[in-house]
Amino acid sequence: MPIPATTSPVHVIGGGPSGLATAAALVRRGIRTVVLERGAEPGTSWRNHWDGLRLHTTRRWSSLPGLPIPRSAGRWVPRDEYVAYLERYARAHRLELACGVEVSRIEPLAEPGDADDSGGVRDGGRWLLRANGGRELRAAAVVVATGANRVPRIPAWPGLDGFTGEFLHASGYRTADTLTGRDVLVVGTGNSGAEIAAELAAAGAGRVRLAVRTPPHIVRRSTLGWPAQASAVLCRRLPVGVVDRLAVPMTRLVPNLTRYGLPRPESGLYSRVREGAIPVQDVGLVRAVRRRLVEPVAAVTGFEGDRVLLADGGSITPEVVIAATGWQPGLEPLVGHLGVLDDAGRPLAEGPEGPLPQAPGLWFTGYTHPISGMLREIARQAPRVASAVTRELYEHRSGESGRRARRAAARAARDARAAVAAGADPRVIPARTGASGPAVEGPAGGSDAEDARDAEDRKGAPGAPGDAPAPVPTARNEGSDPPPTGPDTPAVPDGDSVTGPGSVGTPVEQATAPGPVGGAPDTPPAAVPPAADDPAAEDGRPRPAPTG
């Protein structure tokens, strides 16, 4: 059975690395996909990190499928370079971005099994997304990719509300220049806390102390050119006990800081990773501690006026407290009522293992912290999630399952690749006619084709040389390694408007605007529910999305 051309798009919630990579993989399979980003531009969470942040993973293993990070960004990519890369990635893949759209709740349109075979629920979508401005968006499937580091986590310390000093979470920290000469306490010994403390010490803070609750495993970022991440990739599938033993020599490369107040942890490195504690990569903390520029102190137990109470019974009076105490997904308001989260608020099923039976068509990606690196895992998982979403979507819409559905999806995948080779938009698949029914638009990417497609996605290589021109160099990537050409990297014409459909900075009114950058000539702009406070919508009727 063919798929109706009037079906709702797939909505990806979150314009970070996971959301963009998954959306690009879905588009390559012929699935119309709209990315909903709460910020004004993609990568909002990355933009909110401090200025001096660099990725802990190498450039090679931080790239997303279909477009490598340019060599000019260096081996350890700075925050601003990575944000620019995310912008370039969205443009290169001509993703439909609806920026400024924050989804607050996802609700099912019908109970499983209530789909109307005559076209009601199947054509209108299975999920209703309630967003800011009173918007209500229908989606055939939803991929939640808001990220594990979305909401700051601040412990419920007694007396915090009455603290007379300055208190901020690490999400509010930007640069050490504003704290020169001041007495600062950094709480937390994860990578963020360790880097902020080292940065403050190097920038001339008056005094820097680091509150330690559980001593971390500290490893060198690279040894003789060999990155610590490479060792993690090799060990990621080994038993926990084996990795714990293998990691001992690596941790011994770092000087013992016990006499400075930072002892070695008693539990194994990989055992701690399984508990959620990623090893700290040393980018200056060890030297700062040995030079007594950073002073480790006991864990914080509470606040009392201008004093910070410590676990060893002592107290200190810092001027500024920076809580590098981690993040949480914050998914409860969004999907907590659907029974898809565990007690810690994390998805019960993530990636291609989803969706859960009680929430068909609802997927989650980007909520793990593997020892081999989160960005590497995102790049590997995106094509698998896209293939699983495509297969499930096709089976739901067509009513077919098993081998017949996979073969039909594989045919659609070939059509999508042929459309790309011919210079057409892969989301508008050439129509098929025959005994199965009238000409329609349908998704691509069945299991007969997904192995080859996934391999291309992971390495970012073209399916056939010369299928599509490379993106035009910009000021940020000029002189760097040229990205691969082919169907996975559509061209970005010179002078493209960044406010047109499918481009970075798309207005919220284009939340469901179809087509590539500039719009397809045979694809009219889609109507989007107007915001409740939109003066141009006095009659309450949806307005067509602008075409830039």
Side-chain angles (χ1 to χ4, degrees), residues 42-102:
T44 298
S45 295
W46 288 89
R47 297 173 190 273
N48 292 335
H49 287 304
W50 70 93
D51 298 346
L53 173 70
R54 286 180 177 267
L55 298 186
H56 300 147
T57 50
T58 64
R59 180 186 69 252
R60 172 190 173 190
W61 281 323
S62 301
S63 297
L64 302 180
L67 187 69
I69 298 175
R71 187 171 297 177
S72 60
R75 191 180 199 187
W76 313 102
V77 182
R79 182 206 64 178
D80 289 346
E81 288 286 347
Y82 193 70
V83 168
Y85 167 73
L86 294 179
E87 295 175 355
R88 192 161 55 247
Y89 189 88
R91 287 195 297 268
H93 291 278
R94 301 186 178 186
L95 300 181
E96 296 184 46
L97 272 173
C99 294
V101 177
E102 183 171 8

Side-chain angles (χ1 to χ4, degrees), residues 15 30-31 193 238 275 388 390 394 515:
I31 301 295
L238 296 177
E275 297 171 357
T390 300
Y394 188 89

Side-chain angles (χ1 to χ4, degrees), residues 15-406:
S18 186
L20 296 179
T22 304
L26 284 166
V27 168
R28 284 193 290 269
R29 285 156 177 78
I31 301 295
R32 183 180 166 219
T33 306
V34 178
V35 180
L36 307 178
E37 166 58 42
R38 62 174 174 165
E41 297 175 285
T44 298
S45 295
W46 288 89
R47 297 173 190 273
N48 292 335
H49 287 304
W50 70 93
D51 298 346
L53 173 70
R54 286 180 177 267
L55 298 186
H56 300 147
T57 50
T58 64
R59 180 186 69 252
R60 172 190 173 190
W61 281 323
S62 301
S63 297
L64 302 180
L67 187 69
I69 298 175
R71 187 171 297 177
S72 60
R75 191 180 199 187
W76 313 102
V77 182
R79 182 206 64 178
D80 289 346
E81 288 286 347
Y82 193 70
V83 168
Y85 167 73
L86 294 179
E87 295 175 355
R88 192 161 55 247
Y89 189 88
R91 287 195 297 268
H93 291 278
R94 301 186 178 186
L95 300 181
E96 296 184 46
L97 272 173
C99 294
V101 177
E102 183 171 8
V103 179
S104 57
R105 188 176 176 89
I106 301 175
E107 297 177 355
L109 281 173
E111 294 296 328
D114 288 350
D116 183 358
D117 291 334
S118 64
V121 174
R122 289 187 189 278
D123 291 356
R126 288 182 286 177
W127 295 97
L128 179 67
L129 281 59
R130 300 190 184 276
N132 55 340
R135 293 177 175 83
E136 295 183 348
L137 306 174
R138 290 173 178 260
V142 180
V143 180
V144 181
T146 52
N149 300 336
R150 185 167 182 262
V151 178
R153 178 190 290 115
I154 300 178
W157 285 307
L160 176 59
D161 293 340
F163 179 57
T164 58
E166 183 180 348
F167 180 90
L168 67 152
H169 188 266
S171 59
Y173 170 78
R174 287 293 173 271
T175 175
D177 295 340
T178 60
L179 299 175
T180 301
R182 303 187 69 183
D183 186 344
V184 184
L185 171 66
V186 180
V187 184
T189 51
N191 277 290
S192 295
E195 289 190 31
I196 291 174
E199 183 175 282
L200 289 169
R207 185 175 187 179
V208 181
R209 285 174 281 201
L210 181 64
V212 181
R213 182 169 59 91
T214 304
H217 285 278
I218 303 176
V219 298
R220 298 181 65 175
R221 187 163 64 175
S222 65
T223 303
L224 300 177
W226 179 265
Q229 186 187 7
S231 300
V233 170
L234 295 176
C235 296
R236 71 190 188 283
R237 299 190 184 280
L238 296 177
V240 174
V242 173
V243 179
D244 284 346
R245 290 191 292 272
L246 292 175
V248 171
M250 183 171 63
T251 57
R252 298 297 181 188
L253 294 174
V254 176
N256 191 341
L257 302 177
T258 301
R259 68 190 183 98
Y260 299 98
L262 195 59
R264 297 187 189 275
E266 298 179 0
S267 56
L269 184 148
Y270 202 16
S271 297
R272 290 291 309 281
V273 171
R274 298 295 293 270
E275 297 171 357
I278 301 297
V280 171
Q281 292 191 8
D282 178 34
V283 293
L285 177 66
V286 172
R287 177 181 297 180
V289 170
R290 296 182 71 185
R291 293 182 177 181
R292 301 191 185 279
L293 298 176
V294 173
E295 308 169 38
V297 297
V300 173
T301 59
F303 293 80
E304 189 175 288
D306 63 345
R307 295 189 303 140
V308 179
L309 308 181
L310 304 178
D312 60 3
S315 66
I316 55 178
T317 56
E319 298 175 74
V320 182
V321 176
I322 301 176
T325 47
W327 303 76
Q328 52 195 6
L331 293 172
E332 289 82 359
L334 191 67
V335 295
H337 56 288
L338 299 176
V340 294
L341 304 178
D342 61 16
D343 294 338
R346 296 185 176 274
L348 289 170
E350 189 196 359
E353 290 76 22
L356 293 172
Q358 65 267 32
L362 181 62
W363 306 76
F364 297 86
T365 182
Y367 293 93
T368 59
H369 289 286
I371 190 174
S372 53
M374 180 181 64
L375 293 175
R376 179 181 180 274
E377 183 65 21
I378 285 173
R380 289 169 56 84
Q381 193 175 84
R384 299 172 186 170
V385 171
S387 293
V389 172
T390 300
R391 189 163 53 249
E392 191 268 348
L393 192 62
Y394 188 89
E395 293 176 358
H396 170 76
R397 288 176 174 176
S398 67
E400 297 177 347
S401 60
R403 184 174 299 178
R404 290 184 62 190
R406 289 194 295 269

